[in-house]
Amino acid sequence: MLNVGQRKESLLKERLSMIRSRIATAVADSGRRPEDVQLVAVSKTVPSEKLLTAIDLGVTVFGENYVQEARDKFNALYAHHLSWHFIGHLQSNKAKYVVKMFDLIHSVDSRKLAREIDKQAGKIGKVQSVLVQVNIAEESSKSGVLLEDTTQLVIEMSQLPHLEVKGLMTMPPYFNAPEKVRPYFKALRQLRDQIRAMEISGVVMDALSMGMTGDFEVAIQEGATLVRIGTAIFGERT
Ligand SMILES: *Cc1c(COP(=O)(O)O)cnc(C)c1O
């Protein structure tokens, strides 16, 4: 008989191997290479002990939404070689904490925030990798820049010395059917391709952060390079 801790561990193990194999299948079906798609395990509200189990199972990239919660986990798991991605809405006054901890910020959505990240990164001698969050369906409830404003923001960000734009991120509208999300993923990829074709100096524009528990396979088919998956790995958030 397994004890409660062991049962939880084996559940996480099963979920993770299921997700990895679904990612591998979607990658193969779309003729892409396994190394082109990275799993970001979204660990908001998940306690550090559970992250340790995931770490034992080979997870190295965690996505966090809340600064204070992330700081606690970052400190608790300091001894492990991990990569932390900030995926939540970021207020400028929190930029200084985020710049210290995170390898990639997915959610830059204004010139003001970009400038503040650049300033804080400069103070610690870092070049901060970031993505621009695009509000692809123009939903008033969502953060992100509008599609038509994205190129201009990227151009302005390319002037900031302590910031490197790596690509785009989006949170499309929620549907029960993942196929309905496909047009939004396609639109983000097309925007990425358009901006990349401009060859803006200092801008890489390879990354596409899109796809969550309900729709990551479609996102991979449409070119996602980072999938942000929480529920399917850690279970429902409480
Ligand atoms: C919570 C969250 C996710 C993960 O969502 P799941 O449906 O649990 O996989 C992905 N991206 C962002 C920005 C999130 O806030």
Side-chain angles (χ1 to χ4, degrees):
M1 285 281 282
L2 300 180
N3 66 33
V4 176
Q6 287 165 330
R7 271 208 305 277
K8 283 189 178 156
E9 195 170 320
S10 83
L11 183 58
L12 183 57
K13 190 174 180 176
E14 269 170 41
R15 284 188 178 131
L16 195 57
S17 62
M18 174 67 81
I19 286 301
R20 284 176 170 147
S21 89
R22 284 172 60 189
I23 290 174
T25 304
V27 165
D29 287 351
S30 24
R32 303 182 60 201
R33 297 173 304 175
E35 63 269 28
D36 292 343
V37 181
Q38 191 173 44
L39 170 64
V40 179
V42 174
S43 47
K44 59 169 174 263
T45 77
V46 179
S48 301
E49 303 82 72
K50 211 164 172 181
L51 269 65
L52 268 178
T53 308
I55 293 165
D56 282 343
L57 298 167
V59 174
T60 56
V61 185
F62 291 98
E64 287 280 341
N65 293 58
Y66 309 108
V67 175
Q68 185 57 51
E69 183 190 338
R71 285 173 87 184
D72 295 343
K73 290 178 195 172
F74 183 83
N75 290 330
L77 301 170
Y78 195 77
H80 300 267
H81 287 284
L82 301 172
S83 181
W84 296 90
H85 288 196
F86 193 82
I87 63 172
H89 180 65
L90 181 56
Q91 287 165 324
S92 301
N93 61 359
K94 301 267 175 69
K96 57 176 174 290
Y97 307 113
V98 167
V99 162
K100 281 183 193 140
M101 281 186 289
F102 290 91
D103 292 323
L104 182 64
I105 301 172
H106 290 226
S107 46
V108 176
D109 61 358
S110 72
R111 183 182 316 151
K112 181 181 174 215
L113 177 58
R115 285 183 184 282
E116 186 59 25
I117 292 170
D118 178 66
K119 183 175 143 193
Q120 297 299 336
K123 282 187 189 168
I124 58 168
K126 179 181 184 184
V127 176
Q128 177 69 56
S129 294
V130 301
L131 307 179
V132 173
Q133 180 171 354
V134 182
N135 185 352
I136 199 82
E138 310 198 353
E139 295 169 279
S140 56
S141 60
K142 294 238 170 89
S143 29
V145 283
L146 297 179
L147 194 130
E148 72 245 35
D149 298 332
T150 306
T151 305
Q152 184 56 37
L153 179 60
V154 172
I155 290 170
E156 290 175 23
M157 287 165 73
S158 74
Q159 315 286 318
L160 301 172
H162 300 286
L163 207 147
E164 190 162 71
V165 184
K166 299 282 197 185
L168 305 176
M169 178 272 219
T170 199
M171 293 261 282
Y174 177 79
F175 294 104
N176 292 325
E179 272 308 317
K180 293 197 175 153
V181 192
R182 190 182 294 279
Y184 299 104
F185 291 151
K186 220 184 261 288
L188 193 74
R189 187 191 57 204
Q190 283 165 352
L191 178 62
R192 192 265 325 253
D193 292 346
Q194 269 171 32
I195 299 175
R196 188 158 64 182
M198 294 170 68
E199 298 184 357
I200 303 163
S201 150
V203 173
V204 184
M205 268 298 150
D206 285 334
L208 276 181
S209 169
M210 56 189 198
M212 316 192 335
T213 289
D215 54 23
F216 67 88
E217 282 138 324
V218 174
I220 290 171
Q221 289 157 13
E222 294 302 331
T225 66
L226 295 155
V227 288
R228 310 179 308 267
I229 303 178
T231 309
I233 296 173
F234 296 111
E236 291 292 335
R237 285 180 290 273
T238 45

